[in-house]
Structure formats: C-alpha cells, structure tokens
Amino acid sequence: MKLWGGRFEEGPSEIFERFSGSLHFDRRLLEADILGSQAFARALEGVGILTAAEREQLVAAFDQIGADSNQPSFFEGADDEDVHTLVIRKLQEKAGALAEKIHTGRSRNEQVSLDVRLWLRGEIDRALERLASLMQALIDCARRDPEAVVPGYTHLRRAQPVLWAHYLLAYFEMFARDFERLQQGRARVNVLPLGSGALAGSGFPFDREAIARDLGFDAITRNSMDVSGDRDFALDFLYAASATMLHLSRFAEDWILYSSEEFGWLELGDGVTSGSSLMPQKKNPDSLELIRGKCGRVFGDLSALYMTLKGLPMTYNRDMQEDKQPLFDAADQLNGSLEMACEVVKTAKLNPTRPAAAADESWVVATDLAEALARNGTPFHQAHKLAGKLVLESVRSGKKPADWTADALTAFAPEFTAAMVALMRPKEGMKSREIRGGTGPQAVTQALEEAQARLANLS
Ligand code: ARG
C-alpha cells in the first residue's frame, strides 16, 4: 500500500519499489508506531477531528494490531512502502473508513522522528541498565581480591605496582562516563517532534505539551523545519555507543592478554570461551574477541550516519531513511556487548600469585626508591639516576629486588638508607600513594565504597 498516489498517472516501477521500500527493516519500529499513533488519536480528539467514541475505536484497533503482530503471519505478503504505511493499512482492515482520519495533520517525516525517538529511548534505557550491571560486576570482582597486586603497564611494559581493584575501578570510571553520555543522549532523544507536520508545522492546533506528557517526553521541539531534517539525536546516541564500545574493546583486549598463558592472571569461565575444532587443548576468549570486533562495527555505524547526513539540504530528504540500519545495528551490538562483558567479569577468576610474581620479579618498585630518595633530600633527577643505576646493576648481575639486603643497598650508594630496603616489596611503596585517585590501599578502599554509593545513585 501507499499513502499517496492521487497525483500520479502511473504507479511506481517494481524496481523502484524494491529499491525504496523500508518495511523489511523499519518493521522494527512497529510498537513505537502504534504507541505514537494511539497518542496521536487522542490528540485528534483534542482538536475535534475524532469523537471520543471514534478515538476509543481507533486506540482499540491499534492494540489489536499490536497483538496480531506477534503472529508469524502478520507480515506475510506485506508490500507496504514502510512500517507507517503498513500500520495504516492494518488499521483500515480493523476500523474501516474511520482509519482514513488517522493521518490528519500528520506527516511521516515527523512520525519517523517520533518512532525512532520512542524506540531509541527504550534501547538507551536497556543499555543504561546493562552498563550499571557491568559496573556492579567490576566492583564485585574487585572485592573478591581486595589485596591483589598487579603490575600497571605503560607501553605494555611493567611500570608501577597497582592494586587489582584500582585497575578495575579505572574501567568503572570509563563506564561511569559512558553512563553519563548515554543519559545526556537520552535527554536529546526524549523530545516530542509531533506537531511539526511535514516541515511547516501542523495545520491543526494540537496541544503538543499534552502529547509530550502522554508519551513521556520531557519537552517539545521548537522548530518544525529543524525536526524534519534533524538526526542529531541519533548521532548523539551513536557517539555515546561508540565511546562505550571503545572502552569495552580496550577492556576486552586487556583480558584477552591477561587470560593468555603468557600472563596467566585470569581464568575465564568455560561458559564464555570456545574450543578449537582441531586443537583439543584450546580455550579461546571468543566472547572478548567478538566484543572487540563489534566495536569496529559500531564506529562504522556512527560514520555511516555522518556521511548520510552530510550536505543534505533543508529539510527532509529520503536519504534519511538510511539512518535506521546503522542505528539498529549499533543498539544491538552495544546491548549485546554489555551483556556479554558482564557475564565475562562475573565468571572470571583471578590467580593473584601470577601478577604478584610479575610485580616482584620486575623493577616496578624503581619509582618508589627514587621518590624515597627525593623525600630524604636527594634532588629528584639525581635520585632517578641512582635508582636507574641500581636497576642496571641488578639486571647485569641477575638480582631481583628481593635479593637486595639493607647492607648491600646502603653500600651501593650512601643516599640509600637501610629502611629503604622495605621498598623492594611492591606493596610497600604503594602506601605512599594514598593520594585521592591513587593506588594507596586506603585510597582504593575508599574509592570502592564511593563507587558503590555512586552506582546506587545512578539508577
Ligand atoms: N520511510 C521514510 C523514512 O524512514 C519515512 C517516509 C517519509 N517519506 C517521504 N517520502 N517523505 O525516512
């Protein structure tokens, strides 16, 4: 079916219909289209186009369409141009001539904006919930091994010792910012476009504030031309989704490494790993690899919509129909990846002895030594040089930090004191990092408590 045709002498060609139809993907907006149309029926009653009885009949018919849509036969043979057209055809089947009034003073240009906003709001709410679960899983993971020490890396080289909990809280912070970004995006999505007409504003005096309240929108849009051409709200979501996926992908990369035999820190749950068809011993981190892979896809979705919108003249152009597939895909990949990451975190086990040994065997304590010297009055550049020489000497002679005695240390250079030998244990120097935001054990305990309280206030 078409919602137009009076002005044409010939129908569209089969090729054009096949090329331009969007029902095979925008059918995903069916529920939103029904919700929006029911609210619109109430608005039509408000301006006297429908009587209360007619409105009731239409709203009930929409409910039936919603129920019917669960039947597999619902979409069978449907050759409607898009989901909006399909819903109106179904309405005609249910409500007969009365259905002819439903599109009074409404355009599909605003309807598609409305439907996408309603649908996207639900997807964002789902993502927020999953993000909060992941953040909780990170806190729980930190609490399982509150004392565990790992080497922190720069350039993927052992740098300074940190608490495992401190490392996990770093991701908590990234996801907390993602949560904020998604919420900010939601605020821009949750604005009512209805009443804008095709581009010039509806010719019927709808109470737009009332429709907004009816549909749970926080505000109404302010310019009808802007509405027809605007997909910023979709871009905002795609950016927030991309930032979240970026963090998920870096997290995935870390855990792929940390669960490898070379690191041996983490044992991933059997339930989130797969085997090899040939090599019987393999336990592969496919769940994390897929999260990393899907991240690239979501970045692609963001740039796809940017490219589609670039240079479009005011206002609506059919190009904009191409917004949906990237948007649907990004929401699916985001929500799927969040759910997967949460399961990975919940089922992983840290083997704290491996990262502790990695910290003990390397020279991650060198900064602690240099800073101790500086605290005792040695200018930092000299202290840095002295600690560096100590490392060089140790590397040459095959000495680990724990091999140093107080006597050997003070004999190495007079600036070193006997007490400084304690700093050869990674946990000791950490105590000097009780600064807020640092890896000092008390600072981390406090940060964990704060994270839990912040999470409780988020939702
Ligand atoms: N299916 C279209 C879209 O998704 C909405 C229809 C508006 N079409 C039009 N020719 N004005 O953008």
Side-chain angles (χ1 to χ4, degrees), residues 167-186:
Y167 161 81
L168 291 171
L169 283 176
Y171 278 102
F172 181 94
E173 292 305 323
M174 296 174 224
F175 294 131
R177 291 195 295 276
D178 294 330
F179 196 99
E180 229 173 76
R181 263 185 286 271
L182 280 166
Q183 274 183 324
Q184 288 161 353
R186 189 191 194 280

Side-chain angles (χ1 to χ4, degrees), residues 1 3 37 40-41 44 49-50 53-55 57-59 61-62 65 84-106 111:
M1 192 185 99
L3 294 173
S37 296
F40 191 61
L44 286 173
I49 295 288
L50 294 178
E54 287 173 331
R55 182 260 304 150
Q57 199 187 328
L58 286 183
V59 168
F62 279 124
I65 295 170
H84 324 294
T85 311
L86 169 111
V87 169
I88 290 180
R89 175 171 62 79
K90 295 278 182 184
L91 192 71
Q92 284 167 354
E93 288 169 18
K94 301 262 182 234
L98 182 55
E100 300 281 317
K101 286 189 172 182
I102 190 63
H103 212 53
T104 313
R106 182 175 73 166
Q111 195 180 355

Side-chain angles (χ1 to χ4, degrees), residues 373-387:
L373 291 172
R375 244 175 253 120
N376 271 8
T378 308
F380 184 73
H381 285 309
Q382 282 175 37
H384 187 284
K385 202 169 172 179
L386 266 175

